[in-house]
Amino acid sequence: MEIVIIGAGVIGLATAWRAAARGAAVTLVDPAPASGASSVAAGMLTPVSELTYGEEPLLRLGLASRERYGAFAAELAELTGLETGYRTNGIIEVAFDSDDLRHLDDLRRFQESLGIPTEALNGRECRRLEPMLAPGVRGGLLAPEDGSVDPRRLTPALLAAGERLGVRLVRSRVSAVLVENDVATGVRLDDGAEIRADRTLLAAGPWCGDIGGLPDGVVPEVRPVKGQVLRLRTRAPFIQRSTRGIVKGSSIYLVPRADGEIVVGATQEEMGFDTRVTAGGLWELLRDARELLPGVTELDFAEVSAGLRPGSPDNAPVMGPTALPGLYVGTGHFRNGILLTPVSADILAEVLVDGTVPEVGRPFTPERFQTRSGA
Ligand code: GLY
């Protein structure tokens, strides 16, 4: 089984590794592997804290992925000797006013109804866990099993794991998918070279629509959703676990790493393919982070960056076979790409190698859009 994967973000990289582990010969094509949203993301692993009502299938996908993360990170470390910064030290989400408290309470009850452990905290309990929290914090919710991974360590580990299993990396841009007799048969590169494959996976995030050669309606529209992210550094203990809050309606989170880095995210902007870092974006992040943790202004500045999350029409991932035989998609992970990497890679590897969509992946096939659009 020859597979070509377009796009070496976390989803393409992890799928390449998992498909190679199932015996496929995999070629991964990307001019700059792991340089998009995968290199900007904070890496919070939180199916619970970012849960939205009516998104139960996505919650189940997130939980399935979080359950796999420990073994996934351990397997990567064993195979490559590279650590991913995977931590399960919990995530705390805090509230400043009655509306936020009500929101957290609804969230807690919903999670409990699904059997997901969470702990409701009053303001004092929040500050006992995280002493740097603002005095105005009135309550919170601890998701003790959530955590984080460092995407900038995860992607080199995935690249190395793929290499160990014979994944061939081609640093080029794909100009078109090859289609012969209504079947996708591989890709054409910018320089005209062709790579033939039995199965072609489009995992190019928001750039899926840039690939030529595809009949209309075969690939669902995936839009770029910009996120600006700030990286700070601390020399003394600051926060122990990922800390989130809603500040005057906007959501802010800080994710600490063991090496002292603290990632502050993120804006959510529908600006097309714009990766400019703006004064306004930076100001918003710092303003809200300071409301949550006033001491944040004492930390060292390290970096600011912007990435483009791939958003599908319903903001859920799109994974599986398309209406064009031989062509598969793996994109649309929106705000959950890092969390969903292990389960998505398993789903996509099974789809590509065995031709079956596992139960957990069934709500996320492209068919849901094809039915609607008549494609
Ligand atoms: N999941 C975090 C973000 O998209 O900002």
Side-chain angles (χ1 to χ4, degrees), residues 215-286:
D216 283 349
V218 159
V219 176
E221 270 186 35
V222 181
R223 69 192 195 285
V225 184
K226 178 176 173 180
Q228 298 189 50
V229 168
L230 181 61
R231 283 174 159 79
L232 305 173
R233 295 203 72 83
T234 179
R235 283 169 262 190
F238 187 67
I239 46 173
Q240 301 305 310
R241 55 184 65 68
S242 299
T243 304
R244 304 171 54 96
I246 312 256
V247 178
K248 296 185 183 81
S250 43
S251 162
I252 185 88
Y253 55 79
L254 289 91
V255 179
R257 310 244 187 265
D259 67 358
E261 182 178 77
I262 296 183
V263 186
V264 184
T267 63
Q268 185 169 317
E269 303 162 71
E270 306 268 353
M271 303 274 295
F273 289 90
D274 169 5
T275 49
R276 283 174 314 124
V277 168
T278 62
L282 247 176
W283 175 73
E284 228 177 80
L285 292 173
L286 279 170

Side-chain angles (χ1 to χ4, degrees), residues 275-299:
T275 49
R276 283 174 314 124
V277 168
T278 62
L282 247 176
W283 175 73
E284 228 177 80
L285 292 173
L286 279 170
R287 177 198 62 193
D288 295 347
R290 192 179 65 160
E291 287 285 322
L292 193 65
L293 294 147
V296 84
T297 51
E298 297 303 316
L299 303 180

Side-chain angles (χ1 to χ4, degrees), residues 32-153:
S35 63
S38 307
S39 72
V40 175
M44 240 183 329
L45 302 178
T46 177
V48 176
S49 303
E50 284 198 337
L51 177 117
T52 308
Y53 303 102
E55 287 185 341
E56 277 98 324
L58 191 53
L59 170 71
R60 302 226 173 270
L61 190 72
L63 287 169
S65 205
R66 195 189 61 193
E67 268 163 33
R68 291 171 204 211
Y69 239 105
F72 183 81
E75 210 179 318
L76 275 175
E78 198 182 333
L79 185 63
T80 66
L82 298 172
E83 295 296 333
T84 58
Y86 172 66
R87 305 167 89 186
T88 50
N89 45 352
I91 291 185
I92 186 172
E93 179 152 9
V94 302
F96 286 92
D97 59 29
S98 317
D99 283 350
D100 292 352
L101 283 170
R102 255 195 309 278
H103 163 72
L104 287 189
D105 203 43
D106 287 349
L107 201 57
R108 182 184 54 76
R109 270 185 274 139
F110 180 49
Q111 286 164 195
E112 276 172 7
S113 75
L114 296 163
I116 298 162
T118 45
E119 285 170 35
L121 309 167
N122 62 29
R124 194 175 310 153
E125 289 165 334
C126 289
R127 279 182 293 278
R128 196 175 306 136
L129 284 178
E130 292 297 347
M132 301 303 276
L133 276 170
V137 166
R138 288 184 45 198
L141 198 60
L142 178 71
E145 294 179 4
D146 286 356
S148 60
V149 69
D150 184 346
R152 290 181 177 181
R153 299 177 79 188

Side-chain angles (χ1 to χ4, degrees), residues 15-24 26 75 79 161 165 167 349 353:
T15 303
W17 169 40
R18 291 309 220 199
R22 285 171 179 258
V26 183
E75 210 179 318
L79 185 63
L165 300 192
V167 172
V353 178

